[in-house]
Amino acid sequence: MVTASREFQVMVKPIGAVCNLDCGYCYYLGKKDLYPKAKLFRMADDLLESYIVQHIEACPKKAILFSWHGGEPTLLGLDYFRRIVELQRKHRPAEREILNGIQTNGTLLDEAWCRFLAAEGFYVGISMDGPKELHDRYRITKG
Ligand code: SF4
């Protein structure tokens, strides 16, 4: 495995382009059409583990940052992210630190999600366009 010569960031999209919103300016929703035969957009457990191992090995810094994006990553469910943290703990070298960031539209965040994200120290980015009259103009639901 090659270790990078300097810090880098990978935006991981374990649910591909699947999202529960239908924002008017979204550049990514259409990427789902690149996989017309796909029935399930969900990074499989073995691939997830391989990615985590390889990302840890490739990162040159003591602190290893994972950035979870979508689509909407919270559609994968809380247990999926519990598994991510479990795999990271399994493969984290003793002297290294693992950090997680998640970018979400925030619509599915409830008490359980917030407790998990806080307990595991996730950096949380919530996509918003501003006050309601601006936000609701383009950030619409599928319906
Ligand atoms: S929340 Fe993000 S991924 Fe979902 S439709 Fe809006 S811009 Fe696209």
Side-chain angles (χ1 to χ4, degrees):
M1 183 72 204
V2 176
T3 300
S5 58
R6 62 187 173 91
E7 202 170 9
F8 63 94
Q9 198 167 357
V10 176
M11 311 292 179
V12 199
K13 299 170 177 288
I15 195 163
V18 177
C19 187
N20 59 337
L21 292 190
D22 200 4
C23 303
Y25 48 65
C26 184
Y27 67 91
Y28 198 57
L29 284 176
K31 301 296 184 229
K32 194 164 166 277
D33 301 336
L34 293 172
Y35 308 92
K37 292 185 182 154
K39 292 191 174 72
L40 184 67
F41 288 84
R42 183 184 183 93
M43 189 186 280
D45 194 70
D46 57 341
L47 182 59
L48 181 65
E49 184 162 14
S50 292
Y51 166 65
I52 287 171
V53 168
Q54 290 178 25
H55 188 72
I56 289 171
E57 288 176 359
C59 286
K61 299 268 184 170
K62 188 175 175 195
I64 304 157
L65 176 64
F66 286 84
S67 299
W68 304 100
H69 282 230
E72 177 46 45
T74 60
L75 285 171
L76 290 162
L78 199 38
D79 283 345
Y80 193 92
F81 278 83
R82 289 192 180 107
R83 177 69 177 151
I84 285 171
V85 171
E86 181 183 73
L87 289 170
Q88 290 172 333
R89 289 203 174 103
K90 176 180 169 188
H91 293 291
R92 181 180 65 82
E95 72 288 0
R96 312 278 300 275
E97 178 187 15
I98 289 184
L99 305 168
N100 283 289
I102 184 169
Q103 187 66 35
T104 171
N105 62 36
T107 57
L108 300 177
L109 294 183
D110 59 9
E111 184 76 19
W113 265 108
C114 292
R115 286 188 183 280
F116 167 80
L117 295 170
E120 298 297 344
F122 273 61
Y123 295 99
V124 181
I126 297 189
S127 309
M128 299 180 82
D129 283 356
K132 183 174 172 57
E133 62 274 17
L134 294 177
H135 182 87
D136 290 357
R137 180 159 183 190
Y138 294 110
R139 296 186 70 79
I140 54 176
T141 63
K142 300 284 187 207

